[in-house]
């Protein structure tokens, strides 16, 4: 069943209004008709089972059939800190991190990172990465879209990471927990 994410402003009593790109996707790409069902996730983790009602230029009106807290979120909160890597490999890290239940992904600019980004390039990438996180969240049935942060230096990543920290290194043979 198709899944979409909305902000609180889109939810009004027993109706949800979806606009812009998602509305075009529902009406043109999915070719949904009145009465067809879809899932909408609110920012508080509530999942709404909805039926399409009205289609206008740039908007789709949905009737809320039922609502319930999402059961698809893991009981833990994990933030993935990943060193910047070349090509589409970082895209795959974001996608898989979201699918495995990460709450956030933080790109790390380490001394030996393969990629160096200017501030402008970093923001363009972050916007793209956030879209990848959203698509992965839709695909795997998440109730929230995990945040993708702007890249941070390695030192800041180490200082802001809380709880149990796991550092993965491709040539390491022992596990060290801190």
């Amino acid at each position: 069943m198709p899944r979409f994410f909305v902000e609180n402003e889109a939810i009004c009593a027993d109706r949800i209004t979806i606009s812009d790109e998602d509305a075009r996707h529902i009406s043109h790409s999915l070719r949904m008709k009145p009465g067809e069902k879809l899932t909408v996730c609110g920012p508080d983790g509530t999942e709404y089972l909805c039926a399409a009602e009205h289609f206008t230029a740039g908007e789709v009106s949905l009737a809320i059939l039922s609502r319930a807290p999402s059961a698809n979120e893991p009981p833990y909160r994990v933030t993935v800190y990943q060193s910047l890597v070349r090509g589409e490999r970082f895209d795959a890290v974001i996608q898989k991190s979201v699918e495995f239940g990460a709450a956030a992904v933080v790109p790390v600019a380490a001394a030996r990172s393969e990629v160096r980004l200017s501030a402008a390039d970093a923001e363009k990438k972050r916007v793209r990465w956030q879209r990848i996180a959203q698509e992965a969240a839709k695909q795997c049935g998440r109730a929230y879209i995990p945040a993708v942060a702007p890249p941070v230096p390695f030192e800041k990543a180490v200082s802001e990471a809380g709880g149990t920290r796991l550092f993965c290194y491709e040539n390491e043979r022992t596990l060290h927990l801190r």
Side-chain angles (χ1 to χ4, degrees):
M1 180 174 309
R3 175 177 293 264
F4 295 90
F5 295 92
V6 297
E7 297 298 326
N8 281 329
E9 303 82 51
I11 304 167
C12 182
D14 61 346
R15 299 261 179 279
I16 294 177
T17 302
I18 295 184
S19 58
D20 301 325
E21 190 176 312
D22 282 341
R24 282 188 295 280
H25 184 70
I26 290 169
S27 59
H28 297 309
S29 299
L30 297 176
R31 298 180 186 165
M32 293 188 87
K33 304 291 183 221
E36 289 190 72
K37 294 181 174 86
L38 60 146
T39 302
V40 177
C41 298
D44 63 351
T46 301
E47 290 186 7
Y48 300 88
L49 175 62
C50 298
E53 278 195 329
H54 299 69
F55 297 82
T56 60
E59 277 193 356
V60 176
S61 177
L62 309 171
I64 298 174
L65 304 176
S66 66
R67 64 188 87 205
S70 176
N72 295 340
E73 289 298 313
Y76 51 82
R77 184 167 170 80
V78 172
T79 299
V80 174
Y81 290 84
Q82 169 65 48
S83 179
L84 293 167
V85 291
R86 291 181 205 242
E88 296 178 1
R89 290 187 288 172
F90 199 83
D91 299 355
V93 167
I94 292 169
Q95 181 184 28
K96 297 307 175 195
S97 295
V98 171
E99 290 172 359
F100 290 140
V105 178
V106 180
V108 178
R112 293 187 179 189
S113 289
E114 299 175 346
V115 177
R116 302 276 182 228
L117 298 174
S118 67
D121 288 342
E123 182 53 24
K124 286 180 191 174
K125 289 275 193 183
R126 193 200 63 75
V127 169
R128 182 172 176 278
W129 293 332
Q130 190 62 57
R131 183 176 301 271
I132 291 168
Q134 179 177 354
E135 292 304 317
K138 284 180 182 180
Q139 181 70 25
C140 69
R142 296 282 303 267
Y144 298 102
I145 302 169
V148 179
V152 298
F154 178 77
E155 296 76 19
K156 183 175 181 188
V158 171
S159 69
E160 72 182 26
T164 302
R165 301 178 201 171
L166 301 173
F167 291 87
C168 301
Y169 176 65
E170 62 193 291
N171 293 324
E172 186 61 42
R173 299 290 180 245
T174 59
L175 176 66
H176 301 281
L177 293 176
R178 292 185 185 178

